[in-house]
Amino acid sequence: MISNLTQEWYESVRRWHLELFCIPATLLTLATMLASPVLLICIFVSRSLRQETRYLLVANTLTADMVFLVLNLAIIIGNAAGAEMPFIVCELSTAVLVTSYSCAILTVTLMVADTFTAVRWPLHYHDVMTPGRTHCIMAAVWVLAALYPFSLMILGKEKWGNPREKVSLCLAHISFNTGEIHTSFFFVVALICAFLILYCYIRLYMVTRTQGIWHNRFSRARVTVLAHGVLLLLYFAPGFVFILELYMFQTSPDNFQRSRDVHVWVSTVNNYVLMLLPRAFAPYLYGLRYREIADTLTLLLHRHRRLGQIT
C-alpha cells in the first residue's frame, strides 16, 4: 500500500511539474547555509556570547535549522529524481526532520520565555540561568523533541509491515500516519507553545509600558517585537499546515484519494517553501538585531582583513 500511495503521488508531481519547486528550495537552503554557520562561529568564538543564555538558545535554533535544511534538501532532491529508497530509511529521515523542526519550535519558545524572565526578574536572572543550566535545558529539548517522532517510527513499523519495501517518494504524512491521537498531540503541543509565547509578549508589554520604550512608533522595541512576531508566525504556520495534512489523510483516506492533486500542491508548497522561509530569515534577523553578534562579526572580518594585509 505504501508503494502504491507514493507512486500515485509521484505521478501527480510529474503531471504538474512540481519538481520545479526544487529551485526555490535550493536557493533558500543556500541562503541559510551561508549565514547560519557564520553566526554560530561568532557565538562560539566570543567567550562573552557563549556564556549568555539568549545566544546559546540562538545557536541551538540555528543548529536545529541547519540539520533540518540539509536533510530536507537531500529528500527533496531524491524525490525530484524519483530515486527509490527503503521505507525504513524514509521513516528514519522523517523522524530526524520532525525532531529538528520540533527542537527549533521549542527553542524559539524558550527564547521568548527567557526574555520575559530577564525583564521580569532581572536581579535573579543570572543566578538562575547559568551557562551550565542552559546546556542541560538544550539537551533536554533535543531529547524531548526526538522522543515522540522516534516512538511513532517504531509504531509505524508494526502498522506498515515490511520496512524494507521501497518507495518512490519519502512523504512525512505517510510515515506519521499512526492515528488521530498522535496528530492531536502535535496540535496540542503547538498550541501550548503559541499561547506561552503570546502570554510572555503580553506580560512583557504590561511590565515595560511605563518605561517609555513603546511611545515612538519606530522604536527599537516595536521593531524587534514586530520582526520576531513575523518570524514566529513563519515558524509555526507550516507546522499547523502539516498537522492539517496529517488530520485530513487519517480521517478521510477516500477523500484524500479524490483530492490528491490539492494535497500534493499543499504539501509541496509547505515543504519546499513555507518551512524554509523562517530558516532563511532567522540568521539575518539575529545578525541584525543582536548588536553583540554584529560587533563580533565585524571584529572577525577586521581581523581576517588585517591578517591578509600582513600576509
Side-chain angles (χ1 to χ4, degrees):
M1 183 173 64
I2 304 172
S3 59
N4 292 338
L5 285 173
T6 56
Q7 184 61 35
E8 293 171 357
W9 190 284
Y10 181 73
E11 292 173 359
S12 296
V13 170
R14 288 298 183 183
R15 185 169 63 255
W16 292 99
H17 301 288
L18 298 183
E19 64 274 6
L20 295 177
F21 275 93
C22 290
I23 298 175
T26 302
L27 293 177
L28 290 172
T29 301
L30 290 177
T32 308
M33 297 304 293
L34 288 174
S36 292
V38 176
L39 264 65
L40 286 175
I41 292 173
C42 291
I43 293 173
F44 290 115
V45 164
S46 174
R47 179 179 176 83
S48 59
L49 294 184
R50 66 174 182 265
Q51 294 295 319
E52 290 195 36
T53 299
R54 56 176 173 168
Y55 296 119
L56 290 175
L57 292 176
V58 169
N60 198 52
T61 304
L62 295 177
T63 302
D65 287 347
M66 290 172 62
V67 172
F68 177 88
L69 288 172
V70 170
L71 187 56
N72 185 67
L73 184 62
I75 293 176
I76 286 175
I77 294 175
N79 288 346
E84 293 188 348
M85 68 174 69
F87 186 63
I88 185 63
V89 175
C90 177
E91 280 193 315
L92 180 61
S93 302
T94 303
V96 176
L97 278 177
V98 174
T99 297
S100 57
Y101 191 98
S102 301
C103 183
I105 291 293
L106 293 175
T107 306
V108 296
T109 304
L110 287 177
M111 289 172 64
V112 177
D114 174 72
T115 303
F116 171 73
T117 305
V119 174
R120 188 66 180 85
W121 298 283
L123 298 179
H124 304 285
Y125 172 76
H126 290 289
D127 295 331
V128 175
M129 297 303 298
T130 61
R133 193 164 294 171
T134 303
H135 291 151
C136 293
I137 291 174
M138 291 191 300
V141 167
W142 277 100
V143 171
L144 288 175
L147 187 63
Y148 201 71
F150 278 93
S151 299
L152 291 183
M153 186 185 73
I154 296 173
L155 292 174
K157 284 184 181 181
E158 299 178 357
K159 177 174 182 177
W160 292 110
N162 183 15
R164 297 183 180 179
E165 181 180 358
K166 291 188 176 181
V167 293
S168 303
L169 295 176
C170 184
L171 303 174
H173 59 270
I174 293 180
S175 299
F176 277 74
N177 184 27
T178 53
E180 296 180 34
I181 296 177
H182 306 293
T183 304
S184 301
F185 176 83
F186 283 118
F187 182 71
V188 170
V189 171
L191 278 183
I192 291 175
C193 291
F195 280 123
L196 179 60
I197 290 173
L198 183 62
Y199 170 80
C200 288
Y201 272 129
I202 292 174
R203 291 294 297 164
L204 278 173
Y205 174 76
M206 295 178 65
V207 170
T208 59
R209 63 180 176 177
T210 59
Q211 298 177 6
I213 62 175
W214 302 97
H215 294 165
N216 187 357
R217 178 178 297 180
F218 301 103
S219 65
R220 183 176 177 84
R222 285 180 179 272
V223 174
T224 300
V225 169
L226 177 61
H228 281 281
V230 173
L231 185 63
L232 290 171
L233 178 63
L234 291 176
Y235 265 110
F236 277 86
F240 283 113
V241 173
F242 176 69
I243 293 171
L244 180 62
E245 285 185 68
L246 287 176
Y247 179 78
M248 294 175 66
F249 182 73
Q250 292 164 358
T251 55
S252 55
D254 294 335
N255 183 56
F256 183 86
Q257 293 294 328
R258 289 194 297 269
S259 58
R260 187 186 306 111
D261 289 342
V262 175
H263 289 279
V264 169
W265 269 94
V266 171
S267 180
T268 302
V269 173
N270 194 40
N271 293 333
Y272 288 41
V273 179
L274 297 183
M275 286 189 175
L276 308 186
L277 284 177
R279 287 154 180 84
F281 290 148
Y284 299 99
L285 174 64
Y286 295 144
L288 292 174
R289 299 307 301 174
Y290 286 109
R291 294 174 180 174
E292 292 83 354
I293 295 180
D295 293 341
T296 304
L297 178 59
T298 303
L299 181 61
L300 290 175
L301 291 177
H302 282 313
R303 281 184 183 177
H304 180 73
R305 185 179 303 172
R306 185 177 304 174
L307 181 60
Q309 291 175 351
I310 293 174
T311 303

